[in-house]
């Protein structure tokens, strides 16, 4: 998984040739930390097809605000530089992320 911040977000996410899934998480967020190992496994599963990125909300407040993210965990789905789907809070499950990933590839 690629760690993104304000310095590389545009290059890694918006200008990516591949679809991108961005996992927004916080160090104080229990559900985020619990989900992370599963998301990392999913990233391996889709390697070469979808780029998975992690964004620490505590270290990137301005970027998070510009993305209009109000809660963590939030997962953003990008295709061709456009945000095409978002899931957050209780909606974030491994199944929901996998479903979003499949939509990106469709």
């Amino acid at each position: 998984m690629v760690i993104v911040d304000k310095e590389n977000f545009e290059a890694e996410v918006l200008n990516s040739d591949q679809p991108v899934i961005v996992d927004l998480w916080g160090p104080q967020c229990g559900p985020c930390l619990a989900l992370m190992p599963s998301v990392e496994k999913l990233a391996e599963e889709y390697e070469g097809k979808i780029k998975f990125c992690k964004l620490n909300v505590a270290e990137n407040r301005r970027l998070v605000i510009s993305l209009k993210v109000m809660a963590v965990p939030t997962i953003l789905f990008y295709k061709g530089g456009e945000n095409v789907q978002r899931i957050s809070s209780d909606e974030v499950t491994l199944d929901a992320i996998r479903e979003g990933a499949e939509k990106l590839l469709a």
Side-chain angles (χ1 to χ4, degrees):
M1 282 181 82
V2 179
I3 295 173
V4 291
D5 57 24
K6 67 181 187 304
E7 305 301 325
N8 68 352
F9 187 84
E10 189 175 335
E12 293 290 349
V13 178
L14 304 180
N15 297 333
S16 176
D17 294 336
Q18 291 182 308
V20 183
I21 293 177
V22 183
D23 178 6
L24 287 92
W25 67 283
Q28 305 295 319
C29 169
C32 299
L33 299 174
L35 198 60
M36 199 173 289
S38 301
V39 174
E40 287 171 351
K41 276 193 189 128
L42 203 58
E44 289 172 18
E45 229 177 275
Y46 285 96
E47 195 167 340
K49 294 185 231 160
I50 298 176
K51 182 191 294 186
F52 277 72
C53 299
K54 285 197 268 202
L55 177 63
N56 182 333
V57 296
E59 295 172 357
N60 297 282
R61 292 190 189 282
R62 283 201 175 147
L63 177 55
V64 171
I65 290 166
S66 75
L67 295 170
K68 297 179 175 62
V69 171
M70 301 299 174
V72 285
T74 292
I75 307 289
L76 301 177
F77 300 84
Y78 285 86
K79 192 169 192 173
E82 296 290 317
N83 179 214
V84 295
Q85 185 187 355
R86 87 173 41 214
I87 51 176
S88 63
S89 302
D90 296 344
E91 299 171 355
V92 178
T93 63
L94 200 56
D95 287 341
I97 298 168
R98 188 184 302 274
E99 193 177 299
E102 289 301 322
K103 280 185 196 166
L104 284 178
L105 295 175

